């Protein structure tokens, strides 16, 4: 398959380009707003063509699929451009910056009859895949509660434009919260939300302080550093969410999902399953589980999906995800 990359920053060079290449796909073109950056990356990975605009790349190349690795505010427009040009699309997370954008992307995928996936690599971890197989086999009974935590003690990114509301659409919630929110919803089978109670704020990001992920500019910090929510669903289940970029916590960094079913519960990461058997309470962990790189797995999964019937499921889920995020911000 012939692949084009839009945006040649951190995630493109660490996850997308090398994993396409090792999966046997041909990355034939890159596009970056700053062309010199695109040229440097093309040279590094042996990619023949470099473009300065998406239009130019789509006009000159015959691409099967495109990865979108730009700041969040550009995702929707570039997803639509690539789909309308007949490409399958793997867009980095978050899908967009609002429910309306997610709806536009879903319609565009259906119109183009092309697969649209998003960069939720936690779904592709070996322990998540195992948990999902167990849930799908009915071993957890009815899933009635989940808790999703994405907490950093001092973790505002010191690179990119993550603290700029205009370019990223949101902060901790849209950047790291979205990973664990998606994962909890995925584990629950993406039920329909009926009520959302949310709390977002800027408490520490606007003041200078210790930066464990580099120095950020507190004077221009325009996004949320805190987001907390409770979501209730049509099927009676509920989800609790707790997210921070920077907070006075004990833990340095927590990415965690807990789920509770009527027959078993589980904690990720790593996977522990909690059950009751024969009058005793068990905590079970896999003694052997073959590991793989979740980013590589995601690319393999995307390439495979491009070769069968168009897959709109993730685009449909993105509408629910962004509905919840919109309600939390509201
Ligand atoms: N899946 C993950 O765990 C993960 C990790 C990091 C980043 N991301 C996502 O990837 C995206 C990019 O993040 P990053 O860390 O690579 O950022 P980055 O700042 O390192 O890279 C972004 C690149 O896009 C380029 N760019 C900016 N505007 C552009 C435009 N309009 N058209 C083309 N190129 C443009 C920049 O020059 C830069 O090269 C974000 O959506 C982010 O949320 C996902």
């Amino acid at each position: 398959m012939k692949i084009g990359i839009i945006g040649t920053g951190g995630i493109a060079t660490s996850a997308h380009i090398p994993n396409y290449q090792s999966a046997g796909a041909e990355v034939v073109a890159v596009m970056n707003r700053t062309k010199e950056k695109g040229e440097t990356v093309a040279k590094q990975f042996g990619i023949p063509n470099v473009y300065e605009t998406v239009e130019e790349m789509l006009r000159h190349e015959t691409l099967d699929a495109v990865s979108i690795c730009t700041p969040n505010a550009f995702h929707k427009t570039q997803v639509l451009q690539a789909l309308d040009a007949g490409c399958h699309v793997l867009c980095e997370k978050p899908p967009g910056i609002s429910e309306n954008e997610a709806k536009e992307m879903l319609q565009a995928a259906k119109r183009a009859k092309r697969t649209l996936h998003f960069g939720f690599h936690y779904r592709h971890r070996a322990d998540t895949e195992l948990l999902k197989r167990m849930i799908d086999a009915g071993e957890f009974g009815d899933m009635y509660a989940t808790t999703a935590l994405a907490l950093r003690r001092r973790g505002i990114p010191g690179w990119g434009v993550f603290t700029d509301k205009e370019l990223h659409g949101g902060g901790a919630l849209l950047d790291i919260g979205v990973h664990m929110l998606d994962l909890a919803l995925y584990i629950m089978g993406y039920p329909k939300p009926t009520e959302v109670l949310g709390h977002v704020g800027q408490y520490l990001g606007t003041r200078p302080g210790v930066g464990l992920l580099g120095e950020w500019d507190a004077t221009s910090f325009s996004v949320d550093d805190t987001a907390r929510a409770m979501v209730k669903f049509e099927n009676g289940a509920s989800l609790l969410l707790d997210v921070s970029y920077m907070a006075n916590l004990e833990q340095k960094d927590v990415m965690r999902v807990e789920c509770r079913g009527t027959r078993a519960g589980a904690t990720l990461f790593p996977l522990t399953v909690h059950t009751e058997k024969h009058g005793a309470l068990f905590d079970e962990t896999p003694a052997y589980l073959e590991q793989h790189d979740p980013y590589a797995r995601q690319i393999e999964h995307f390439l495979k999906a491009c070769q069968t019937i168009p897959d709109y499921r993730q685009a449909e889920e993105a509408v629910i995800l962004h509905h919840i995020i919109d309600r939390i911000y509201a």
Side-chain angles (χ1 to χ4, degrees):
M1 288 181 65
K2 291 194 189 313
I3 311 293
I5 306 287
I6 299 179
T8 56
I11 199 69
T13 53
S14 65
H16 290 245
I17 300 173
N19 285 316
Y20 278 123
Q21 292 182 330
S22 53
E26 202 185 343
V27 182
V28 294
V30 295
M31 176 267 156
N32 198 74
R33 198 165 56 169
T34 327
K35 198 172 178 191
E36 303 76 62
K37 202 167 169 187
E39 281 165 349
T40 307
V41 168
K43 203 165 160 202
Q44 183 189 349
F45 289 95
I47 299 164
N49 303 308
V50 183
Y51 297 93
E52 211 168 359
T53 69
V54 176
E55 294 80 0
E56 232 188 314
M57 182 174 90
L58 295 172
R59 200 168 48 242
H60 285 97
E61 301 288 335
T62 308
L63 301 170
D64 297 298
V66 163
S67 262
I68 292 169
C69 305
T70 50
N72 306 343
F74 304 108
H75 288 183
K76 191 261 308 189
T77 305
Q78 295 172 340
V79 164
L80 262 59
Q81 285 178 291
L83 287 170
D84 289 346
C87 302
H88 300 286
V89 177
L90 172 58
C91 175
E92 258 313 325
K93 50 56 56 174
I97 59 173
S98 67
E99 183 182 2
N100 282 341
E101 287 200 355
K103 282 181 176 165
E104 276 190 67
M105 289 190 266
L106 170 62
Q107 284 160 5
K110 287 186 171 171
R111 194 168 60 233
K113 298 190 173 52
R114 292 293 182 273
T115 288
L116 174 56
H117 281 186
F118 299 103
F120 288 120
H121 67 274
Y122 285 92
R123 292 183 180 203
H124 300 281
R125 283 179 54 124
D127 37 16
T128 308
E129 289 179 353
L130 172 60
L131 172 62
K132 194 73 168 81
R133 286 198 296 276
M134 294 173 78
I135 292 172
D136 290 348
E139 291 173 33
F140 279 67
D142 293 329
M143 192 67 72
Y144 62 88
T146 53
T147 301
L149 305 178
L151 301 171
R152 290 181 185 164
R153 184 167 178 166
R154 292 290 183 273
I156 298 175
W159 69 94
V161 289
F162 291 89
T163 58
D164 184 327
K165 182 140 173 72
E166 283 275 299
L167 294 174
H168 259 275
L173 175 57
L174 213 49
D175 185 30
I176 56 171
V178 74
H179 269 307
M180 293 302 105
L181 177 59
D182 170 73
L183 197 64
L185 291 165
Y186 175 66
I187 285 168
M188 299 175 100
Y190 258 91
K192 187 169 179 250
T194 50
E195 287 171 70
V196 181
L197 179 66
H199 165 200
V200 285
Q202 280 177 346
Y203 297 97
L204 274 67
T206 48
R207 311 174 198 175
V210 175
L212 297 183
L213 290 182
E215 292 295 311
W216 80 103
D217 179 7
T219 59
S220 63
F221 184 89
S222 56
V223 293
D224 47 290
D225 58 34
T226 298
R228 315 185 80 230
M230 179 167 184
V231 186
K232 286 181 76 184
F233 300 93
E234 203 173 55
N235 64 3
S238 69
L239 180 155
L240 287 174
L241 177 70
D242 192 1
V243 183
S244 83
Y245 253 171
M246 184 165 177
N248 291 317
L249 303 165
E250 181 186 5
Q251 309 96 319
K252 183 176 158 221
D253 194 347
V254 181
M255 293 297 256
R256 183 180 168 104
V257 167
E258 295 167 9
C259 63
R260 297 177 207 156
T262 48
R263 294 181 59 195
T267 308
L268 283 171
F269 303 99
L271 175 64
T272 308
V273 176
H274 317 291
T275 54
E276 177 183 333
K277 287 183 210 173
H278 305 286
L281 302 180
F282 284 79
D283 288 332
E284 297 171 338
T285 54
Y288 171 74
L289 177 62
E290 192 174 336
Q291 297 297 321
H292 53 250
D293 176 354
Y295 292 103
R297 186 73 143 212
Q298 174 176 273
I299 297 280
E300 286 161 19
H301 179 71
F302 172 62
L303 290 172
K304 213 166 154 189
C306 295
Q307 288 162 35
T308 55
I309 52 164
D311 176 10
Y312 311 127
R313 185 162 177 165
Q314 291 190 24
E316 284 161 354
E317 291 168 350
V319 175
I320 295 177
L321 179 75
H322 274 294
H323 172 80
I324 294 172
I325 291 172
D326 279 5
R327 299 316 308 150
I328 297 172
Y329 278 132

